[in-house]
Amino acid sequence: MAFDDVVRLAQRRGFFFKSAESYPNSPAGFWDYGPLGLAVRSNVLELWRRLLVRRDGMLEIDGAQILPKSVLEASGHVQSFTDPYVKCAKCGSVYRPDKLLEEKTGKPVPEKLQDSEYDSLLAQAGVRCSKCGAPLTGTGRFNMMFRLGIGPLQEEAYLRPETCQSIFVDFPLLYKTQRVKLPFGVAQFGRSFRNEIAPRQGLLRLREINQAEIEVFFNPGKADAPRFAGTAGDLLTFQPPQGGPVTASVSDSVERGLVPNRLAGHYLALLLRFYEAAGLRRDALRLRVLPDEDRAFYSKAAYDLEARLSVGWLELVACNYRGDYDLSRHAAASGTGFDVDDDGTKVVPHVFELSMGIDRTVYALLESSMGGEGERTVLSLKPCIAPRKVGVFPLVNKDGLQEAAGELNAALQDRLDSFYDESGSIGKRYARADESGVPFCVTVDYDTLKDGTVTLRTRDTRAQERVKSDSVAERIVSETAFPPIRL
Amino acid sequence: MAFDDVVRLAQRRGFFFKSAESYPNSPAGFWDYGPLGLAVRSNVLELWRRLLVRRDGMLEIDGAQILPKSVLEASGHVQSFTDPYVKCAKCGSVYRPDKLLEEKTGKPVPEKLQDSEYDSLLAQAGVRCSKCGAPLTGTGRFNMMFRLGIGPLQEEAYLRPETCQSIFVDFPLLYKTQRVKLPFGVAQFGRSFRNEIAPRQGLLRLREINQAEIEVFFNPGKADAPRFAGTAGDLLTFQPPQGGPVTASVSDSVERGLVPNRLAGHYLALLLRFYEAAGLRRDALRLRVLPDEDRAFYSKAAYDLEARLSVGWLELVACNYRGDYDLSRHAAASGTGFDVDDDGTKVVPHVFELSMGIDRTVYALLESSMGGEGERTVLSLKPCIAPRKVGVFPLVNKDGLQEAAGELNAALQDRLDSFYDESGSIGKRYARADESGVPFCVTVDYDTLKDGTVTLRTRDTRAQERVKSDSVAERIVSETAFPPIRL
């Protein structure tokens, strides 16, 4: 399915809405989750908690989104979290010069150009303002953090550009209060904010982002994972900067230097298991190895987990071996000790990070599960990810069938996310359920009143079978359960 | 327990941390949830979803936090979401004149004073700057929204000051896509932001707030709740502006005009059931009826749900009959139709709102459940609210007991939030669990290896009993379950 089909379905069924859509000229890059999208997101996060956070005994926190300037100076964002932009001198329209050049020439633009180099390339390529046709020059830098002022004195602060800064800043308190030993992970789901210059890709380029980040802290002298044996045999597929893809087991990847250490290999494997359990195919996932020039100077290794979608390979997760950069910077700037005792040695922990884009993840799951023939759309979301687990329908709206179906729905509610629907033909109700990703439907009919059986219909096979009404809950609970936590 | 005791415990065990605490001079009014606080908050929200959102078949959404100026002009916040402030002309310190006057005189200051009236009262009372001693005058107004600029053109926008604006703005899309009929509720949990002038009450006065809001949309011509019969007999306790408290059933409250209609009465009753299920005592809860002069001009009735705590009666929820103010304003400002068809009549729905402060709710649950004797602190959180359900301990760290306890913990993980602890004496481990609100502990000892039994210890009774290891999961799942959804 194509990007536009997914967005149309998402808006029609209320997975997502463009934020403040009722208002003319509401700004780009902001989306609201409707009921179905929020339910999918919640299920994705529950799976993330089970297969990454709780499986590994990680700590989860939720930090404030507004951070003082001092924190973001220490992290380097105040100085260098910038994108190039060029403003039309005639009509005031704003563009990213790299994006304009890519569109005009069809070729990628090298990273880290100087402003004057952009101006030369824009002139060479003859790029002009798409609104008024004037030539474009005068590339400048725009800091992508949203700046705000605290209190009447307007103390300078920012919306966090990545959730991980809360984790780094809280590290000493977490270490002190949570009785943990290296290595351990800290996880956080929440918003981060990027004041994109001109976001145009709908859901895929947001100014307000849902991130689920994991920072694993470890002693660089022993970068091992206690449960390494559980993932050592998993296969990882890498796309190196040059040449074709390389597939190797986690242990082989460590030996061949494809990953910097066993700990990193272990978490990459867990991450891939998570995405497979969520519904993406292994053969549509790869770890793109970032070339040296695309990595931050402090990064010792970096991978983008990408999924193959209609829009091309889409980055879902940034995986980054950040060394001790963050903790050392915050230690120096705050004057607080960020070093810890690891079996008698003082060490500033190193960090391996899994930074997941949850909005893109939800998008990828929708696109990958969208199918059907002709007018019929089916969203074959994994049952554990599906926004609702079962719809309960009376065959007709009379003779007590509504009451019986309502009663069954109420009885299911404690254990399942079920809903009741009595409008339109049964066929139409099945079609709506298919399009919303609901894996099961139950129809209550005249036989139900006689013998207590109902029709259980399965989305993916379209099979209908007759089952005892009082066995439905158990059956659907087990078929829609999350996978076990144990490795 | 006193406020300071709760904050000390919360910080010691990692329920909350002051945000960016490592940094000197980090701004007031921002807190991070640590692992235990976040777990309590998640459980509070799951209970809210069950007893209010899903019980009632409400829609839940999650909207963007940044809203364009146009939306917040329509809602009235750009013009009038202000607090008075006064700045010391000598040293630049900033204060709220009403708070200064209350502290100095010990008496409440009338609402809605003019700036010049504040100046007169400050002079009369002889209030001076607490930093430098200079007299204070020149009261002004400060808009409490955080303002920010979108993109390089810096289009004016704000962090939402209340989550409900996302619900109002999305109303036409929700109505169109979600196949709903009046009355129906829309719920949202998320952040809102208030740039408080000088927040001093720690956790209770935040600049970044977790809100769980419910907006019930209804036809004012038939302000009834379909499930009214389920709550008609519930008792509500009101504190009117004058005189003592009044207790009446929901149906009596409707008849006596204590609530404006059956729908409002029904939701107030559900709200009280929620707080009781979460762990607050009915006799420590009241609905304070807001006097006319404290209500917004569009509000037809307003109640603060308050809990009696060490800090006095603390507002946890603002309940507000907002009429059609919000939808009508957004309709006019956006040029979009916000009216709907209700059985053949065109109507702009009225709104009854339950706006819960989740941070204060978590605080109230911690304070109310904190007890113990001498050095021993016990947090008697309801089992469904407790941050962890069970701790699994090996009696000693040898002879295979660690492995057996680890195995039991891993087996429990799929069904329960369990944790493993092997450090310190069993007594110390019980004490830590008590202080963290863990309702059950399981100790694995030598008999476990022989006959498969373990010691199950209950926090609130301190009783210890011998039970079969393989019955532990079932037992604790059932004792820590959320209450049923059905009314």
Side-chain angles (χ1 to χ4, degrees), chain B residues 45 47-56 58-61 163-164 167-168 184-189 211-217 263 267-268 270-271 274 317-322 351-357:
Chain B
L45 289 169
L47 188 69
W48 170 75
R49 287 199 178 92
R50 293 175 69 93
L51 298 195
L52 284 155
V53 181
R54 287 173 59 196
R55 170 174 281 182
D56 203 66
M58 293 180 185
L59 307 172
E60 187 179 349
I61 68 164
T163 56
C164 59
I167 295 177
F168 298 139
F184 68 93
V186 182
Q188 183 177 209
F189 165 68
Q211 277 191 312
E213 292 199 298
I214 285 172
E215 312 295 322
V216 184
F217 298 96
L263 184 134
Y267 287 103
L268 292 175
L270 288 185
L271 183 68
F274 161 79
V317 189
C319 312
N320 207 343
Y321 180 9
R322 301 175 73 123
V351 170
F352 188 71
E353 168 181 83
L354 304 176
S355 172
M356 291 171 45

Side-chain angles (χ1 to χ4, degrees), chain B residues 97-324:
Chain B
D98 48 345
K99 302 290 171 201
L100 288 177
L101 286 164
E102 280 174 19
E103 278 169 26
K104 181 89 178 184
T105 65
K107 281 181 289 191
V109 176
E111 300 261 334
K112 298 181 185 167
L113 291 181
Q114 301 292 311
D115 294 349
S116 59
E117 293 176 295
Y118 279 118
D119 288 342
S120 315
L121 289 174
L122 288 169
Q124 266 172 40
V127 174
R128 287 171 168 270
C129 175
S130 62
K131 289 245 175 71
C132 77
L136 293 169
T137 191
T139 297
R141 294 284 151 172
F142 178 65
N143 191 302
M144 291 200 299
M145 289 196 296
F146 286 100
R147 179 172 159 174
L148 38 80
I150 297 176
L153 301 178
Q154 295 285 295
E155 285 173 75
E156 203 171 329
Y158 297 88
L159 290 174
R160 62 185 180 191
E162 47 187 18
T163 56
C164 59
Q165 293 305 324
S166 309
I167 295 177
F168 298 139
V169 171
D170 284 347
F171 175 80
L173 291 166
L174 288 166
Y175 187 79
K176 195 172 73 182
T177 62
Q178 300 301 303
R179 312 175 55 78
V180 280
K181 282 169 64 178
L182 298 181
F184 68 93
V186 182
Q188 183 177 209
F189 165 68
R191 297 283 163 92
S192 62
F193 300 84
R194 298 188 183 172
N195 202 354
E196 297 281 350
I197 288 168
R200 278 186 285 181
Q201 273 179 294
L203 271 175
L204 305 182
R205 179 70 62 185
L206 295 174
R207 283 168 161 151
E208 192 174 327
I209 303 160
N210 288 285
Q211 277 191 312
E213 292 199 298
I214 285 172
E215 312 295 322
V216 184
F217 298 96
F218 63 97
N219 179 341
K222 33 181 181 172
D224 202 352
R227 271 160 276 204
F228 182 75
T231 56
D234 283 26
L235 293 181
L236 302 175
T237 297
F238 297 91
Q239 175 57 56
Q242 272 87 39
V246 178
T247 297
S249 72
V250 174
S251 14
D252 284 353
S253 301
V254 177
E255 269 181 36
R256 292 164 63 182
L258 290 163
V259 295
N261 52 49
R262 286 162 61 131
L263 184 134
H266 176 68
Y267 287 103
L268 292 175
L270 288 185
L271 183 68
L272 282 157
R273 286 193 188 193
F274 161 79
Y275 274 101
E276 193 175 15
L280 299 183
R281 292 161 53 111
R282 277 276 170 158
D283 60 12
L285 291 169
R286 70 178 189 187
L287 292 161
R288 188 167 74 86
V289 183
L290 267 64
D292 293 348
E293 64 270 24
D294 288 4
R295 290 203 314 262
F297 70 90
Y298 56 80
S299 169
K300 297 176 186 298
Y303 310 85
D304 284 350
L305 177 76
E306 298 181 326
R308 193 174 53 234
L309 295 165
S310 65
V311 293
W313 285 98
L314 182 71
E315 176 191 347
L316 302 183
V317 189
C319 312
N320 207 343
Y321 180 9
R322 301 175 73 123
D324 66 0

Side-chain angles (χ1 to χ4, degrees), chain B residues 382-412:
Chain B
K382 286 252 177 152
C384 68
I385 297 296
R388 307 271 177 265
K389 305 309 179 195
V390 55
V392 183
F393 311 150
L395 180 67
V396 291
N397 295 330
K398 56 179 182 180
D399 301 332
L401 295 187
Q402 287 164 298
E403 291 70 18
E407 186 61 27
L408 177 58
N409 181 49
L412 292 173

Side-chain angles (χ1 to χ4, degrees), chain B residues 274-461:
Chain B
F274 161 79
Y275 274 101
E276 193 175 15
L280 299 183
R281 292 161 53 111
R282 277 276 170 158
D283 60 12
L285 291 169
R286 70 178 189 187
L287 292 161
R288 188 167 74 86
V289 183
L290 267 64
D292 293 348
E293 64 270 24
D294 288 4
R295 290 203 314 262
F297 70 90
Y298 56 80
S299 169
K300 297 176 186 298
Y303 310 85
D304 284 350
L305 177 76
E306 298 181 326
R308 193 174 53 234
L309 295 165
S310 65
V311 293
W313 285 98
L314 182 71
E315 176 191 347
L316 302 183
V317 189
C319 312
N320 207 343
Y321 180 9
R322 301 175 73 123
D324 66 0
Y325 174 79
D326 305 280
L327 296 191
S328 295
R329 295 275 296 193
H330 287 300
S334 68
T336 307
F338 276 62
D339 49 347
V340 304
D341 180 279
D342 186 51
D343 291 337
T345 316
K346 277 251 178 194
V347 58
V348 177
H350 278 207
V351 170
F352 188 71
E353 168 181 83
L354 304 176
S355 172
M356 291 171 45
I358 293 297
D359 311 294
R360 287 183 171 196
T361 296
V362 171
Y363 171 81
L365 295 176
L366 292 184
E367 188 191 299
S368 308
S369 64
M370 204 172 150
E373 311 139 15
E375 289 292 284
R376 182 172 175 262
T377 303
V378 181
L379 212 51
S380 302
L381 291 165
K382 286 252 177 152
C384 68
I385 297 296
R388 307 271 177 265
K389 305 309 179 195
V390 55
V392 183
F393 311 150
L395 180 67
V396 291
N397 295 330
K398 56 179 182 180
D399 301 332
L401 295 187
Q402 287 164 298
E403 291 70 18
E407 186 61 27
L408 177 58
N409 181 49
L412 292 173
Q413 288 266 343
D414 273 326
R415 302 187 60 195
L416 285 169
D417 203 340
S418 68
F419 67 97
Y420 173 86
D421 186 0
E422 62 172 38
S423 92
S425 67
I426 289 289
K428 282 216 175 111
R429 283 178 254 174
Y430 284 157
R432 280 199 300 268
D434 286 347
E435 204 175 75
S436 306
V438 179
F440 297 101
C441 296
V442 168
T443 301
V444 167
D445 57 23
Y446 289 103
D447 284 343
T448 310
L449 304 184
K450 278 184 238 153
D451 62 9
T453 61
V454 292
T455 300
L456 177 68
R457 188 257 193 184
T458 301
R459 176 193 66 200
D460 296 336
T461 59

Side-chain angles (χ1 to χ4, degrees), chain A residues 11-15 17-28 30-36 38 41-42 49-50 54-55 59-68 70-71 74-75 85 87 92-94 142 146-155 159-160 166 169-170 172-174 177-179 189 191 193 195-198 207-208 210 329-331 333-336 338 388 406-407 410-418 421 423-424 432 483-486, chain B residues 11-15 17-28 30-36 38 41-42 49-50 54-55 59-68 70-71 74-75 85 87 92-94 142 146-155 159-160 166 169-170 172-174 177-179 191 193 195-198 207-208 210 329-331 333-336 338 388 406-407 410-418 421 423-424 432 483-486:
Chain A
Q11 295 196 286
R12 184 167 72 243
R13 287 283 161 223
F15 284 89
F17 306 117
K18 188 169 177 310
S19 185
E21 187 176 79
S22 313
Y23 278 78
N25 305 319
S26 55
F30 299 96
W31 287 72
D32 293 354
Y33 279 79
L36 294 187
L38 179 57
R41 192 185 82 185
S42 300
R49 286 198 178 90
R50 293 175 70 91
R54 286 173 60 198
R55 170 173 281 183
L59 307 173
E60 187 180 349
I61 69 163
D62 183 23
Q65 298 174 2
I66 296 176
L67 290 173
S70 49
V71 167
S75 68
Y85 80 107
K87 186 170 167 178
S93 298
V94 169
F142 178 64
F146 286 100
R147 180 173 157 171
L148 37 80
I150 297 175
L153 300 178
Q154 295 286 294
E155 284 173 74
L159 290 173
R160 60 183 181 191
S166 310
V169 171
D170 284 346
L173 291 165
L174 289 166
T177 62
Q178 300 301 303
R179 310 176 57 78
F189 165 68
R191 296 283 164 89
F193 300 84
N195 202 353
E196 297 282 350
I197 287 169
R207 282 168 161 151
E208 194 175 326
N210 288 285
R329 296 275 297 194
H330 287 301
S334 68
T336 307
F338 277 61
R388 307 270 176 265
E407 186 63 26
L412 292 173
Q413 288 267 342
D414 272 326
R415 304 188 57 195
L416 284 169
D417 202 341
S418 68
D421 186 0
S423 92
R432 281 199 299 269
I485 289 181
R486 295 186 89 164
Chain B
Q11 297 196 288
R12 184 167 70 244
R13 285 285 160 222
F15 284 88
F17 306 117
K18 189 169 177 309
S19 185
E21 190 177 75
S22 313
Y23 277 79
N25 305 317
S26 54
F30 299 96
W31 286 72
D32 293 354
Y33 279 79
L36 296 186
L38 180 57
R41 193 185 80 186
S42 300
R49 287 199 178 92
R50 293 175 69 93
R54 287 173 59 196
R55 170 174 281 182
L59 307 172
E60 187 179 349
I61 68 164
D62 183 23
Q65 298 175 3
I66 295 176
L67 290 173
S70 50
V71 167
S75 69
Y85 80 108
K87 187 170 167 180
S93 298
V94 170
F142 178 65
F146 286 100
R147 179 172 159 174
L148 38 80
I150 297 176
L153 301 178
Q154 295 285 295
E155 285 173 75
L159 290 174
R160 62 185 180 191
S166 309
V169 171
D170 284 347
L173 291 166
L174 288 166
T177 62
Q178 300 301 303
R179 312 175 55 78
R191 297 283 163 92
F193 300 84
N195 202 354
E196 297 281 350
I197 288 168
R207 283 168 161 151
E208 192 174 327
N210 288 285
R329 295 275 296 193
H330 287 300
S334 68
T336 307
F338 276 62
R388 307 271 177 265
E407 186 61 27
L412 292 173
Q413 288 266 343
D414 273 326
R415 302 187 60 195
L416 285 169
D417 203 340
S418 68
D421 186 0
S423 92
R432 280 199 300 268
I485 289 181
R486 294 186 89 163

